[in-house]
Amino acid sequence: MQQRLLDDVDRFCRELRPLEDIAYLEHRYNDMLIPLAKKYNLLGMIVPKEYGGRGADNLTYVRALERIGMEGSGIRSFFSVHTSLAQRLLMRYGIEEQKEGYLKPSARGDKIFAFALTEPDAGSNPLEMKSVYKENEDGSYTLNGTKYLITNATIADAIVVFAKGNDGRMSAFIVDTDREGIEREPLTAKMGTPTTDTGMFELRDYKVSRANLIGKEGDGWRIAKEALIDGRLSVAAGCVGSIKDCLVESVRYARERVQYGKPIAKHQLVQEHIAMIRLDYSASRAIVKHATMLKDEWDKDCSDERKKRRADLAVAEAKLFAVNAAYDAADRAMQVFGGRGWSYLYRPARHLVDNRVCRIYEGTDEILKLKIASGILGKEYRAYE
Ligand SMILES: Cc1cc2nc3c(=O)[nH]c(=O)nc-3n(C[C@H](O)[C@H](O)[C@H](O)COP(=O)(O)OP(=O)(O)OC[C@H]3O[C@@H](n4cnc5c(N)ncnc54)[C@H](O)[C@@H]3O)c2cc1C
């Protein structure tokens, strides 16, 4: 465990919180998120030191995400996309040129990433995507399509974009956002996570050089599915933190608030909420730790398909469990706070709406249930794809 990194994460979170409180109430993007993450050198937590990162091991990174999750699933989702999805994917598949040109600056915070798989007509099943690419005579590619509900879309300097070729197979490209052919738009009418960026963009005859193809042509679907293992683990880890914050807040409030002549913490039905939030926390932390260990085994032996399947399933279980536990914990915390709990001035309400989306992105509850079931029953019973 790398304690120094975790200390920096804690300092970052403490400095961010009062700014986040204001941004949340004003329902606007927190423009201090990236500057503070830069200040504490947190934009390349898992990136190897040779590329300017901090080289965190899986368990340390998961602990870091748990701490960040205490500040809310919105803040954590920024790191999920920049680091767990995009940086990890480039560490796994990027050629040297891409690591020098993108991974290195991203670890310094000079390039921020997004990851764009979802489209208006392709969500749970990305294979139904309509974005296409064609190869040009000079070896470059031209991309066309629309990506929707993309975290970091309008703040990203580079986006990992998935599109289909003539043969219907998917490929992954690094798309620079400062070039012609891309138009971006923020999505602001959202239920939660107001302080982080969600947007959409359209690629119209966007030209991308061959050097920006990730992996080989046709590797896109495998790259996306592997990236989602990391992404899901990050969501689950963040939810552990969110539950912890709900516990801390509920315990503090229940001890302070007096009704019927005694602290509400002395009322047995309030104690039930505290006990169940604690259970949400303990169980989620354990299942996330187990999934982290299996992912770690796969990371150390990436070509081992059996280890990958084990990690994939364990992470799906951890994500499904932790996001629902986090939603339950936030709901219970809100109940402990009574009428105040219904206000965004207090943390439980924010956790409740922010955690709700965790049950939708990076694999909906339904898709993960089907995935887990087919993992047990066998591929021939797969009820999706
Ligand atoms: C805030 C936010 C941030 C996001 N960030 C990103 C991002 O950075 N990058 C990215 O690529 N995407 C991102 N997404 C998109 C997200 O991954 C999708 O919303 C998600 O995969 C679900 O797709 P959908 O919204 O199209 O729903 P749909 O696929 O249309 O699903 C609608 C409902 O039908 C259910 N359903 C669908 N198929 C089945 C089936 N076979 N069996 C049972 N039930 C089924 C679903 O579970 C769901 O309940 C984000 C979404 C949100 C809300």
Side-chain angles (χ1 to χ4, degrees):
M1 194 81 84
Q2 292 148 310
Q3 194 52 48
R4 185 125 181 248
L5 173 62
L6 295 179
D7 291 343
D8 284 341
V9 169
D10 187 55
R11 280 196 281 271
F12 159 76
C13 291
R14 284 171 193 275
E15 199 170 335
L16 186 71
R17 186 174 287 199
L19 304 168
E20 178 69 5
D21 284 346
I22 296 167
Y24 205 103
L25 290 174
E26 292 175 353
H27 202 89
R28 61 165 170 83
Y29 172 68
N30 185 346
D31 55 12
M32 284 308 289
L33 167 59
I34 294 172
L36 282 181
K38 258 188 190 181
K39 174 178 170 183
Y40 291 102
N41 192 10
L42 300 180
L43 288 161
M45 284 189 267
I46 59 169
V47 173
K49 290 188 175 157
E50 58 186 300
Y51 295 108
R54 302 195 62 171
D57 57 69
N58 279 316
L59 195 56
T60 302
Y61 179 53
V62 158
R63 291 280 181 261
L65 289 168
E66 287 176 6
R67 176 64 189 89
I68 290 167
M70 288 182 75
E71 304 312 307
S73 288
I75 297 297
R76 190 269 312 141
S77 67
F78 166 82
F79 289 96
S80 289
V81 171
H82 177 72
T83 298
S84 299
L85 290 169
Q87 288 181 327
R88 175 71 78 189
L89 172 165
L90 282 183
M91 284 161 61
R92 203 174 277 139
Y93 282 95
I95 52 174
E96 201 46 43
E97 206 178 332
Q98 292 165 348
K99 288 181 179 166
E100 281 294 329
Y102 289 94
L103 190 60
K104 224 177 195 177
S106 75
R108 289 194 302 266
D110 293 340
K111 275 194 195 297
I112 298 301
F113 284 127
F115 172 95
L117 190 61
T118 304
E119 301 187 356
D121 295 322
S124 296
N125 185 10
L127 293 174
E128 284 168 343
M129 72 169 50
K130 291 186 175 138
S131 290
V132 289
Y133 72 88
K134 67 175 175 54
E135 195 174 351
N136 302 315
E137 278 179 9
D138 62 2
S140 65
Y141 300 96
T142 299
L143 271 63
N144 278 288
T146 303
K147 295 291 178 182
Y148 180 55
L149 286 169
I150 305 302
T151 304
N152 296 353
T154 72
I155 58 162
D157 303 288
I159 308 181
V160 176
V161 173
F162 296 85
K164 280 182 178 174
N166 286 336
D167 58 1
R169 292 192 308 156
M170 201 188 286
S171 296
F173 301 90
I174 306 170
V175 162
D176 293 299
T177 56
D178 61 355
R179 304 257 302 274
E180 266 188 29
I182 178 166
E183 213 167 294
R184 301 185 281 174
E185 200 182 306
L187 298 170
T188 52
K190 19 186 217 174
M191 180 177 161
T193 68
T195 62
T196 44
D197 179 53
T198 317
M200 62 186 290
F201 64 90
E202 190 181 349
L203 296 171
R204 233 183 268 167
D205 292 332
Y206 181 97
K207 233 179 157 192
V208 61
S209 80
R210 176 167 283 273
N212 281 23
L213 171 72
I214 306 172
K216 294 195 293 293
E217 269 192 72
D219 279 350
W221 186 220
R222 181 156 57 97
I223 292 173
K225 284 195 289 186
E226 289 184 359
L228 286 172
I229 300 176
D230 289 280
R232 283 172 188 152
L233 185 59
S234 74
V235 176
C239 281
V240 173
S242 169
I243 300 169
K244 185 173 177 185
D245 196 46
C246 289
L247 187 60
V248 170
E249 290 290 313
S250 302
V251 167
R252 187 185 51 72
Y253 188 79
R255 282 180 175 145
E256 281 170 9
R257 174 73 175 165
V258 174
Q259 283 296 282
Y260 291 92
K262 54 186 172 184
I264 59 168
K266 291 205 168 173
H267 297 306
Q268 291 179 355
L269 292 178
V270 172
Q271 290 188 7
E272 187 202 0
H273 289 307
I274 304 283
M276 294 311 287
I277 298 172
R278 172 69 199 189
L279 201 58
D280 283 330
Y281 175 69
S282 305
S284 298
R285 200 166 196 243
I287 198 169
V288 166
K289 190 175 177 190
H290 174 69
T292 306
M293 279 160 51
L294 292 187
K295 198 189 92 68
D296 197 49
E297 282 180 22
W298 169 50
D299 279 344
K300 286 177 180 146
D301 196 357
C302 276
S303 57
D304 188 320
E305 284 296 315
R306 199 181 62 91
K307 285 184 180 164
K308 180 164 104 179
R309 267 199 308 277
R310 274 162 56 97
D312 191 15
L313 259 190
V315 167
E317 287 175 24
K319 198 250 178 191
L320 179 62
F321 188 88
V323 297
N324 281 281
Y327 190 64
D328 177 70
D331 189 48
R332 288 181 183 281
M334 183 185 236
Q335 199 67 15
V336 171
F337 273 64
R340 287 180 180 83
W342 189 60
S343 164
Y344 288 140
L345 283 170
Y346 299 87
R347 304 181 64 72
R350 296 190 224 159
H351 283 296
L352 188 76
V353 291
D354 292 354
N355 290 345
R356 185 62 184 86
V357 78
C358 299
R359 294 176 51 199
I360 294 170
Y361 58 32
E362 307 232 19
T364 62
D365 279 2
E366 291 78 12
I367 295 298
L368 293 182
K369 282 175 190 167
L370 300 180
K371 185 180 175 68
I372 293 163
S374 73
I376 304 296
L377 294 165
K379 217 175 168 178
E380 64 274 26
Y381 290 89
R382 190 173 286 169
Y384 65 107
E385 279 189 2

